[in-house]
Amino acid sequence: MNSMPMKVFLVVTTISLIISLLFFMYSMPCTYQERLDGKCKYDRKNGIHNGKAMYSSTLKRIKELNKELFSQVPHKFLKEYKNPCWYNNSDHFICLPYFYIVGFPKCGTTDIWDKITQHPHVVETKFKEYQWWARRYERRGRPPSETMMGGDKYQPSSLDWYTSSIGESTFKTIHDINRDINNDINHDIMIDMNHDKNHDMNHDINYDIKHDINHEGRDIHPAIFGDASMTTGWYLPPSWLSDFEIDGELVATTADLIYALTPSAKIIFMLRDPIERLYSGYIFSRRGSQQKSAEDFHNLVEKVVKCLHQCMKVHNTRYCAYHTNICQNASTNIVDTIQTGMYVIFLRDWFKVFPRDQLHVILLDHWHDHPMRTLNAVYKFLQLDMIEDNKKKILNRTVKNARSSKDRIDLGDMLPVTRDILDNFYLPFNNDLMDFVHIHGGISN
């Protein structure tokens, strides 16, 4: 009597599992390394046939249009440093960031940056943001200018400008800090950056919890530094779009460039309810202004959302997310602020390029509700030793760049009709984001 329902249950369960597996396979984009290794003949998610050839042509184009970078950044880095470091032709010690916080604005990145840089093995650079990776393209051809550290002048799109802005003091600290092997740190890391014969720009990272000595017997310097420029994750200037859009399809982003130069880089995203982030950004941008109001915010939102809907009738969604100049007739400066909240568009491009264990996503709500757990996860992701005695002290530091509650009280909440417009606009992106993160992982908690 009961056998028939059981058979039906088993059949339905089996079909559900098969559908889930097919959905998983369809939704999983190939990374560039998988394409390079020939393991991805057809990337269903990105509609790419022969992934190896596609990757090779993209990489070739990136190198051709960024010759000055690839002529200066070596194929191999010094093995005793976590950051990608080398000696240039003038015998100067230079490094690029070990990690990047690439987004998003008004999502708590300044606060998490402050807490990360309090770790004794993280060198706090003078500036959190250099806005170089995403904006260097639009700075080409400009006359030499002072670096952010002042003094020396370099062409602002050049690698010299970026590394000089980071500062020799940062590189000196990275170079000089050596670990005492006999200390009592909990977790030690060994890094081996092997040159892949099949890809002259690839480095593999192998972590081994033993001690800080690489395969050649040299100490690994524990110090690292990063870059937390908010434009890196989502902004592409018109000149980049012009160079890397082929037949209306964007073939490369900043993620591709960073991966091609430093494939071991670690990438951190912070996300927040895009509607709250947008309103917070509006209040921040209008601080001290007498013109800010819920009505003004509504008018701006209405214009931009209408413009973006019109764009998506003509172009694909990704095109409308990256082209920040499409709504110039809307006479508003919050176009890119609304586009930035289309998080899943940008995350897909980074997950498509970097291995999943080099990407970490933090939700602002998690950071507020579970700061210790979230900080532990970030330290683990960055392969930093757990400094138990310091963590409570670090977390007790003042929250950085928090919006004054007085600003919100003075302005009041956004109008309900504005929230409805934004709810409807962001809903499909938020749903896609949850599906994407569920499949790919990489999110805190």
Side-chain angles (χ1 to χ4, degrees), residues 298 300 362 415:
H298 173 79
L300 295 175
I362 304 168
L415 300 176

Side-chain angles (χ1 to χ4, degrees), residues 10 50 53 56 61 69 80 84 92 95 103 126 129 137 174 192 198 263 286 293 309 335 378 382 386 408-409:
L10 290 174
N50 194 351
S56 298
R61 189 169 183 83
L69 294 185
E80 57 265 43
H92 288 149
C95 303
K126 186 173 182 179
E129 305 188 36
Y137 239 63
I174 295 292
D192 178 25
N198 295 321
R286 294 292 198 277
S293 67
H309 278 309
V335 177
V378 172
L382 295 176
M386 302 298 179
R408 185 64 176 257
I409 292 171

Side-chain angles (χ1 to χ4, degrees), residues 295-312:
E295 291 75 18
D296 177 60
F297 179 69
H298 173 79
N299 291 333
L300 295 175
V301 166
E302 196 171 41
K303 290 179 181 179
V304 176
V305 169
K306 181 180 179 181
C307 172
L308 289 172
H309 278 309
Q310 290 173 341
C311 176
M312 288 185 281

Side-chain angles (χ1 to χ4, degrees), residues 145-383:
S145 63
E146 282 193 355
T147 69
M148 291 178 68
M149 296 294 285
D152 295 337
K153 290 187 176 183
Y154 296 99
Q155 205 285 320
S157 70
S158 67
L159 182 67
D160 288 333
W161 186 94
Y162 183 49
T163 56
S164 296
S165 292
I166 293 171
E168 285 197 18
S169 60
T170 296
F171 303 147
K172 187 176 188 307
T173 304
I174 295 292
H175 183 275
D176 291 348
I177 290 183
N178 253 315
R179 163 171 292 171
D180 177 0
I181 299 298
N182 297 317
N183 65 18
D184 60 353
I185 296 297
N186 296 329
H187 293 67
D188 299 314
I189 304 145
M190 178 171 68
I191 301 180
D192 178 25
M193 304 177 78
N194 297 315
H195 186 59
D196 191 322
K197 296 178 181 179
N198 295 321
H199 176 16
D200 66 352
M201 296 307 298
N202 180 65
H203 305 274
D204 293 329
I205 300 183
N206 300 315
Y207 295 106
D208 190 8
I209 303 177
K210 292 181 180 178
H211 48 74
D212 265 1
I213 300 178
N214 64 22
H215 289 315
E216 296 179 8
R218 287 176 290 188
D219 291 357
I220 290 291
H221 294 227
I224 62 172
F225 73 89
D227 180 333
S229 302
M230 292 300 95
T231 53
T232 306
W234 62 273
Y235 177 73
L236 295 175
S239 51
W240 178 282
L241 296 171
S242 176
D243 279 347
F244 288 98
E245 275 188 339
I246 300 175
D247 296 329
E249 188 65 34
L250 182 63
V251 298
T253 68
T254 305
D256 299 83
L257 177 61
I258 291 178
Y259 179 79
L261 287 165
T262 58
S264 61
K266 291 181 174 290
I267 311 298
I268 296 174
F269 287 93
M270 283 198 76
L271 307 182
R272 175 187 186 183
D273 176 352
I275 298 176
E276 289 301 318
R277 187 198 65 81
L278 180 64
Y279 200 42
S280 175
Y282 170 79
I283 294 173
F284 179 79
S285 67
R286 294 292 198 277
R287 61 193 185 281
S289 171
Q290 299 300 316
Q291 296 180 351
K292 65 181 179 183
S293 67
E295 291 75 18
D296 177 60
F297 179 69
H298 173 79
N299 291 333
L300 295 175
V301 166
E302 196 171 41
K303 290 179 181 179
V304 176
V305 169
K306 181 180 179 181
C307 172
L308 289 172
H309 278 309
Q310 290 173 341
C311 176
M312 288 185 281
K313 290 178 181 178
V314 180
H315 304 282
N316 63 49
T317 306
R318 190 160 169 258
Y319 178 99
C320 298
Y322 277 111
H323 281 258
T324 57
N325 60 352
I326 56 175
C327 297
Q328 290 179 340
N329 293 334
S331 300
T332 169
N333 60 355
I334 70 165
V335 177
D336 57 349
T337 314
I338 291 182
Q339 289 168 310
T340 307
M342 300 157 74
Y343 302 135
V344 69
I345 304 294
F346 310 111
L347 260 67
R348 278 178 179 151
D349 282 332
W350 287 83
F351 274 70
K352 182 177 66 179
V353 176
F354 280 88
R356 284 145 191 78
D357 60 356
Q358 289 174 224
L359 296 138
H360 189 67
V361 183
I362 304 168
L363 301 183
L364 182 60
D365 286 345
H366 287 176
W367 175 235
H368 287 165
D369 296 342
H370 308 286
M372 183 69 78
R373 187 191 309 172
T374 306
L375 189 62
N376 280 339
V378 172
Y379 283 172
K380 183 178 180 180
F381 172 70
L382 295 176
Q383 300 289 335

Side-chain angles (χ1 to χ4, degrees), residues 74-94:
H75 296 178
K76 291 184 177 181
F77 302 112
L78 298 171
K79 294 183 178 180
E80 57 265 43
Y81 302 95
K82 293 182 178 181
N83 281 75
C85 299
W86 71 96
Y87 289 95
N88 67 9
N89 293 334
S90 302
D91 207 31
H92 288 149
F93 181 73
I94 296 173

